[in-house]
Amino acid sequence: MPRIEKTLPNLYRDSVALMQLSARIEGYPGVTRATAVMATQANIDLLKEAKLIGPDLSPRPNDLLIVIEGRDDAAVAGALKQTEEALQQASRIPVDASTGPAAMPATSLEMALEDKPGANFALISTPGEYAAAEAEKALRLGLNTMVFSANVALDDEIALKQMARERNLLMMGPDCGTAIVNGVPLGFANALQRGPVGLVGSAGTGLQEVTCLLDRAGVGVSQALGCGARDLSAEVGALSMLQGLAALAGDASTRVVVLVAKHPAMEVARRIGKEAAQIDKPTVLTFLGLDLGDIASRNIFVAGTLDGAARIAAALALGQQPPGPAGLDPALAAMARENARRLGEHQRYIRALYSGGTFCYEAQVLLVQEAGPIWSNTPIETAHALPDIWKSREHTLIDLGDEVFTRGRPHPMIDLRLRLERLRQEFDDPQTAVILLDVVLGYGAHPNPGAEIASAIAAARANRPQDGHDVIVVASVCGTQADPQTLSQQEEMLRQAGVLLAPSNAAAARLAAKIVDASPNRAGLA
Amino acid sequence: MTQLFSLPLKVLNVGVRSFAESVAAVGAEATQIEWRPPVDGQVNAGHALARLINESRIEEANRSALAAFLDAQPVLEDVRSARDLIPGLAADRLILHAGPPVAWERMCGPMQGAIIGAILFEEWAVSPEDAARLAASGRVAFAPCHHHDAVGPMAGIISPSMPVWSVTNAAGHNRALSGLNEGLGKVLRFGAYNAEVLKRLRWMAAVLGPALSKAVKAAGGIELKPLMAQSLHMGDELHNRNTAGSSLLLKKLLPGLLQSGAPLDAIADVARFIAGNDHFFLNVSMAACKAMLDAAHGVRHSSLVTAMARNGVEFGIRMSGTGDAWFTAPAPIVDGLYFPGYGPADAAPDLGDSAITETAGLGGFAMAAAPAIVQFVGGTPADAEANTRRMRRISLGVNPAFTIPALGFAGSPVGIDARKVVDRGISPVMNTGIAHHTAGVGQVGAGISHAPVACFAQAIEALAQTIPGRVLDGV
């Protein structure tokens, strides 16, 4: 199959733009495979593995490498020409002699600050190896900072957080995917009403779930501060969460505080609990996977799930008595029993395909109790690490946002292809009973996930043997009416496709467990 | 605690563009930064920068260095034999060359040719072959002009018997020297060493030099800043366009020349020589720039660039806070227009100390003063202006003494900050001539080149070592 390779020197584009470009090239007539990447060592290795380039290419990180494979030479040459034209169009910056220095695009934080001296926030999403340096520059320039990038060295994270504390600046991250500051969405975040609940979280989709559920209950958010995934480790010691907690304690608009984390280190969690007890605002601790014992007190409330945290915080905000933990809604339980009748005797397992890592984690914690051993690529216990992440085994919960799946690919919240291929694979497995999905809306996410998922389900269903049985798809949609995708429209599309909707991730997991429990072979009671 | 919650959020976005779009979608201010990895993806350069951005020791040092530069007052005081003003040339067989240090074997064609010419001129050998053997033998030493308070265009060769301009900084008492410009065509600085070249060199030493010495002294010394400022208002940028400066200098020198007591036809030869060379002022401009920049050199912690120079093999810079160190990278090829019959395959890599003019905020930095220059790269006057504006973004300030009419008499950008070059990925632009890579052919074109960012990355990494404190590991 003819293949062409071209390097464009000193032409830099960010990773998302390049993946969009790759997808576009693959759409040109006669193209079978195509990729556009910066010629870093890591990308070159990826392309060699994929047998898209030969062994001899040396890395030139500021050069753009295009590889196109197609059905014949003409198709490949034509595609390359179209690609180069597209790149040229995009980079044409008009030279206007009459405008001042601001006509030149800023190429660094300091340069941008010269043009916009009132700027007060830096959002950094460069490749990980450059992010720490950019964050330090931002802090030195007096900017509150969020680092979306992952793969930042632990020592650098600690140093940056200490520097931020010394300078009285926010430092959210690294590996912080979600924040909402002063009502402005940063990273992956939802459109929310402003209100009295302030949140701090090291779990991005955790923050999204709690804020969306609050929004649905008519309760608004003052601030949702991210910490970065590693903040509550023993080494980092929750520097960001403690700083965020103090900030919310002093914020007049915040009346209720919610803290969200995935399995923090025990001593760090205790320290946070102690700090929270000192502030005079009711605080909900949501430390998934960690049993804090009897830490609850006059103003400390403990939630075991994200939806529980939202229920408690909403009640506190509305001046009501906070509810205790809830099980599966009876209406959903009835729905489970009714739908379980569609399953055949071989269908026994739950296959969950998550885009949000926190959702995968929360579901595992619940399903281990309710359905038995759970296999995963991000398992709660290492004994149940999936031997082959590309092939499910018994009950399997996959985090598609984990690095093993996202290397060289866009995040599953943006691009559904990998997830929907896996969905088809699970549909075709005769042992699959329930497929469990999270659908995350909001800024930064896919513009219409419901439509793509519905379409994939229809195609998968059509391909199943017509044996009178079915695979049951369960989903929860994390989003709001005001989100660009509009919550109700997404839910309707999924319902039309026969998806059973639950109001939260925890409810969806419990619903899935209930279905297999009620199924003809009752695999859930293993 | 942080005041952020009571202010409207104004975001600077470094990375994925859609994040800025989300912020703008809710009506908040978002600025997308056109970020790219520093210097060909060097993580270390980013780490060094992170310690130096908004670092008070450096900001303070730069203020000091820039002030010394702006306060400098270069005065043309005399013309003397190089050996009289450069102790190293009096003592041993030493020849000075342009750019950072380079050994004979690695020198480019024009530089080797010029050295052969100088050896013949000094009568240290009688044939070009013997001269080349002598040069290769190690019995003649070579050193950068910059190491001896001097600068030279193209090959930049200075040997003991050659006459040199002497420019003193009246505000600081440092001194800078440069040879006399031979004119265009087959000349020593492009590597020619034939009989005509040697004859001219001897005339310059015997007649031109002494005449100029008398003329300069008769004028009581010539203040160069006002003369250069005037030239900038007349279409010069004082690197590749020196016509106005050469004319103004001749005006200053003429009375003294006429009263020098030399025979009239000798004076006529001198006047004809100067009048026929539109680049006569270049060497004076270069010496003046060096005198101003040397005043700013040696300020601890300063990231102000005090020299940019090329030897046809490497491009080198020096920085105020890092002493005598050269930071070098391979010399770039010039992007330009060629004289009829020549093309890019004929070009030598960038050559000469004349980038000292850009280092001082002239030349390519003042391109907006000389729009004719951009025709060399097929551009427009708007491009010339855009270039100067770009250079402003890597400069510590502007020079109130050198104003540019086309920019509303704004001062020319001055004080290249090595940090900004690396941080912003904006490389200093230079207007330059293109030499043929074979010795003696001469100039084959002119155009624009860019200083390699790698030099500035090395410099700031060296500077970062001098700032105590925590280093990002990046492991």
Side-chain angles (χ1 to χ4, degrees):
Chain A
M1 187 135 353
R3 189 193 318 146
I4 200 168
E5 204 181 289
K6 178 137 188 195
T7 303
L8 301 172
N10 267 322
L11 189 63
Y12 178 77
R13 295 285 182 277
D14 73 65
S15 55
V16 175
L18 286 174
M19 284 186 238
Q20 287 169 342
L21 179 62
S22 302
R24 197 151 99 198
I25 306 172
E26 280 189 338
Y28 292 152
V31 173
T32 49
R33 281 199 301 172
T35 186
V37 290
M38 297 311 298
T40 60
Q41 186 65 64
N43 283 335
I44 285 174
D45 289 343
L46 266 176
L47 294 188
K48 282 187 198 165
E49 268 175 52
K51 300 204 192 333
L52 269 170
I53 55 171
D56 299 319
L57 201 64
S58 41
R60 298 210 29 99
N62 272 354
D63 292 354
L64 202 163
L65 171 62
I66 302 172
V67 184
I68 304 177
E69 205 175 68
R71 126 199 112 213
D72 56 51
D73 288 324
V76 157
L80 179 62
K81 184 159 178 292
Q82 269 187 286
T83 305
E84 289 187 278
E85 275 166 16
L87 281 167
Q88 277 215 16
Q89 284 286 8
S91 66
R92 207 155 277 145
I93 300 171
V95 172
D96 183 349
S98 64
T99 53
M104 191 183 319
T107 48
S108 79
L109 281 166
E110 192 189 40
M111 190 171 171
L113 206 50
E114 284 173 1
D115 298 334
K116 301 268 166 81
N120 49 26
F121 197 91
L123 175 47
I124 296 167
S125 56
T126 63
E129 62 265 40
Y130 305 107
E134 294 305 313
E136 180 171 355
K137 289 183 206 173
L139 293 173
R140 283 180 166 277
L141 292 167
L143 300 166
N144 296 279
T145 302
M146 171 170 157
V147 177
F148 180 93
S149 319
N151 297 316
V152 172
L154 175 65
D155 288 347
D156 289 344
E157 174 168 355
I158 295 169
L160 286 166
K161 289 180 176 183
Q162 285 169 345
M163 185 183 229
R165 192 166 58 175
E166 284 161 23
R167 290 160 192 253
N168 206 14
L169 295 167
L170 277 181
M171 172 67 209
M172 304 194 284
D175 204 2
C176 171
T178 299
I180 302 142
V181 178
N182 298 353
V184 177
L186 301 165
F188 294 119
N190 302 87
L192 307 167
Q193 308 159 58
R194 296 299 294 281
V197 178
L199 302 96
V200 191
S202 63
T205 35
L207 279 180
Q208 288 190 267
E209 173 93 323
V210 179
T211 53
C212 287
L213 292 173
L214 284 168
D215 191 82
R216 258 185 261 181
V219 176
V221 165
S222 57
Q223 308 287 343
L225 305 175
C227 306
R230 203 167 38 189
D231 191 56
L232 278 78
S233 62
E235 297 89 341
V236 181
L239 285 169
S240 287
M241 184 167 277
L242 291 168
Q243 187 192 38
L245 179 61
L248 294 180
D251 174 41
S253 303
T254 300
R255 286 193 283 106
V256 176
V257 176
V258 179
L259 304 180
V260 180
K262 229 168 45 182
H263 202 93
M266 177 60 89
E267 66 269 28
V268 177
R270 289 203 182 287
R271 196 179 325 149
I272 293 169
K274 267 194 8 214
E275 285 296 320
Q278 310 283 348
I279 73 174
D280 63 0
K281 299 180 186 182
T283 301
V284 183
L285 304 181
T286 325
F287 294 154
L288 300 176
L290 192 71
D291 184 355
L292 277 169
D294 58 355
I295 197 172
S297 69
R298 186 186 52 83
N299 78 319
I300 299 285
F301 301 83
V302 175
T305 60
L306 299 168
D307 60 359
R311 271 195 297 274
I312 297 170
L316 291 167
L318 295 168
Q320 295 160 3
Q321 185 71 319
L328 188 62
D329 185 292
L332 288 176
M335 188 197 285
R337 284 189 293 273
E338 188 187 312
N339 281 274
R341 289 203 277 267
R342 292 154 54 196
L343 297 171
E345 60 172 344
H346 298 292
Q347 291 176 279
R348 37 182 70 198
Y349 297 123
I350 298 169
R351 302 285 159 81
L353 310 177
Y354 284 108
S355 59
T358 320
F359 291 151
C360 187
Y361 188 88
E362 182 182 54
Q364 279 188 67
V365 170
L366 290 169
L367 289 176
V368 154
Q369 294 165 25
E370 304 201 13
I374 306 290
W375 297 89
S376 176
N377 60 311
T378 52
I380 294 184
E381 341 119 29
T382 49
H384 285 97
L386 254 187
D388 177 358
I389 61 172
W390 299 96
K391 198 160 160 39
S392 298
R393 173 184 170 159
E394 294 154 24
H395 294 307
T396 295
L397 271 56
I398 302 281
D399 174 11
L400 286 149
D402 185 64
E403 215 193 8
V404 292
F405 290 112
T406 57
R407 214 164 68 112
R409 277 189 205 94
H411 196 279
M413 295 214 292
I414 304 175
D415 185 309
L416 298 169
R417 279 177 298 174
L418 196 62
R419 188 145 76 128
L420 298 182
E421 278 167 26
R422 188 61 174 257
L423 178 104
R424 174 59 169 262
Q425 187 181 310
E426 304 302 347
F427 248 93
D428 291 344
D429 183 341
Q431 296 198 302
T432 302
V434 179
I435 292 180
L436 184 48
L437 300 173
D438 62 343
V439 183
V440 182
L441 310 181
Y443 293 101
H446 191 287
N448 197 355
E452 290 211 11
I453 294 171
S455 178
I457 291 172
R461 281 223 164 94
N463 200 52
R464 276 194 88 257
Q466 304 302 303
D467 57 4
H469 300 303
D470 200 359
V471 171
I472 301 168
V473 182
V474 174
S476 72
V477 183
C478 175
T480 67
Q481 267 308 93
D483 276 338
Q485 302 89 344
T486 311
L487 175 62
S488 58
Q489 286 179 14
Q490 294 292 311
E491 286 184 324
E492 187 52 30
M493 274 187 271
L494 292 166
R495 240 179 248 121
Q496 295 284 348
V499 175
L500 302 186
L501 291 177
S504 70
N505 182 60
R510 289 195 168 112
L511 175 58
K514 195 74 186 169
I515 292 171
V516 295
D517 185 50
S519 76
N521 53 61
R522 294 161 66 86
L525 286 183
Chain B
M1 207 60 234
T2 175
Q3 301 305 306
L4 184 64
F5 297 160
S6 54
L7 300 167
L9 206 66
K10 297 188 179 187
V11 180
L12 301 179
N13 191 46
V14 186
V16 175
R17 188 176 299 270
S18 63
F19 290 158
E21 288 161 7
S22 302
V23 172
V26 300
E29 189 183 290
T31 303
Q32 176 66 18
I33 291 171
E34 300 298 334
W35 182 88
R36 38 187 288 178
V39 200
D40 273 345
Q42 286 178 32
V43 174
N44 289 336
H47 287 163
L49 275 176
R51 304 178 81 183
L52 306 176
I53 294 285
N54 207 21
E55 163 58 49
S56 57
R57 269 171 284 237
I58 299 182
E59 307 301 328
E60 193 51 50
N62 284 345
R63 267 191 290 274
S64 203
L66 184 64
F69 171 85
L70 293 174
D71 288 345
Q73 297 302 333
V75 179
L76 179 58
E77 295 206 321
D78 201 356
V79 175
R80 301 281 297 281
S81 287
R83 70 162 54 77
D84 291 343
L85 298 178
I86 301 173
L89 292 180
D92 302 301
R93 279 191 170 176
L94 173 65
I95 291 179
L96 306 181
H97 63 77
V102 59
W104 167 259
E105 313 79 63
R106 290 190 71 211
M107 287 179 186
C108 66
M111 188 173 280
Q112 287 189 334
I115 285 173
I116 288 171
I119 289 174
L120 293 174
F121 168 66
E122 297 292 341
E123 294 175 6
W124 296 341
V126 289
S127 74
E129 295 75 25
D130 285 344
R133 263 193 291 276
L134 182 63
S137 71
R139 295 201 309 279
V140 174
F142 304 111
C145 290
H146 269 293
H147 290 191
H148 294 268
D149 292 336
V151 277
M154 286 296 153
I157 299 305
I158 298 178
S159 67
S161 309
M162 294 182 185
V164 296
W165 299 105
S166 174
V167 174
T168 305
N169 172 18
H173 313 295
N174 55 297
R175 189 176 61 183
L177 312 165
S178 185
L180 307 183
N181 196 285
E182 307 155 82
L184 294 176
K186 298 224 179 307
V187 289
L188 189 79
R189 73 175 183 284
F190 285 103
Y193 51 79
N194 61 20
E196 185 199 327
V197 171
L198 295 174
K199 183 169 164 212
R200 186 186 304 113
L201 286 175
R202 287 180 191 120
W203 175 82
M204 287 167 76
V207 179
L208 181 63
L212 289 173
S213 173
K214 291 208 176 79
V216 169
K217 290 212 281 255
I222 298 172
E223 285 192 321
L224 293 174
K225 262 166 103 163
L227 198 153
M228 292 161 79
Q230 218 183 335
S231 306
L232 284 176
H233 290 180
M234 292 165 67
D236 275 2
E237 36 72 291
L238 299 172
H239 178 167
N240 242 2
R241 260 290 189 277
N242 295 287
T243 314
S246 302
S247 310
L248 293 174
L249 181 61
L250 181 52
K251 276 206 322 170
K252 292 274 189 204
L253 294 170
L254 202 50
L257 272 178
L258 293 169
Q259 289 180 303
S260 62
L264 198 54
D265 53 350
I267 293 173
D269 285 342
V270 167
R272 195 176 304 116
F273 181 82
I274 298 172
N277 181 2
D278 281 344
H279 285 293
F280 188 67
F281 190 74
L282 172 61
N283 299 43
V284 179
S285 166
M286 287 170 60
C289 290
K290 180 164 173 63
M292 294 189 279
L293 286 161
D294 280 354
H297 188 74
V299 178
R300 195 162 130 79
H301 295 135
S302 171
S303 59
L304 191 155
V305 176
T306 50
M308 295 196 292
R310 322 78 115 203
N311 57 27
V313 178
E314 287 193 305
F315 189 106
I317 70 165
R318 277 175 151 181
M319 196 168 69
S320 180
T322 43
D324 290 339
W326 282 102
F327 302 103
T328 63
I333 294 284
V334 181
D335 174 23
L337 288 182
Y338 289 85
F339 301 155
Y342 295 108
D346 301 306
D350 213 11
L351 178 62
D353 286 331
S354 56
I356 197 76
T357 56
E358 276 80 14
T359 317
L362 302 171
F365 278 52
M367 216 189 295
I373 291 291
V374 279
Q375 292 173 103
F376 285 126
V377 279
T380 64
D383 292 326
E385 206 178 302
N387 250 309
T388 294
R389 289 188 191 281
R390 250 171 97 72
M391 294 303 103
R392 177 68 189 90
R393 304 313 299 269
I394 53 169
S395 303
L396 289 168
V398 293
N399 196 338
F402 294 150
T403 58
I404 301 178
L407 297 180
F409 293 95
S412 81
V414 83
I416 300 171
D417 183 349
R419 296 174 301 170
K420 292 185 174 65
V421 171
V422 184
D423 189 44
R424 302 176 187 202
I426 295 174
S427 171
V429 67
M430 292 161 295
N431 294 334
T432 188
I434 308 173
H436 197 284
H437 56 63
T438 302
V441 176
Q443 186 172 358
V444 296
I448 283 172
S449 68
H450 290 90
V453 180
C455 296
F456 302 86
Q458 292 168 38
I460 59 134
E461 282 179 54
L463 192 62
Q465 302 295 328
T466 70
I467 303 291
R470 180 193 48 74
V471 185
L472 291 179
D473 282 340
V475 168

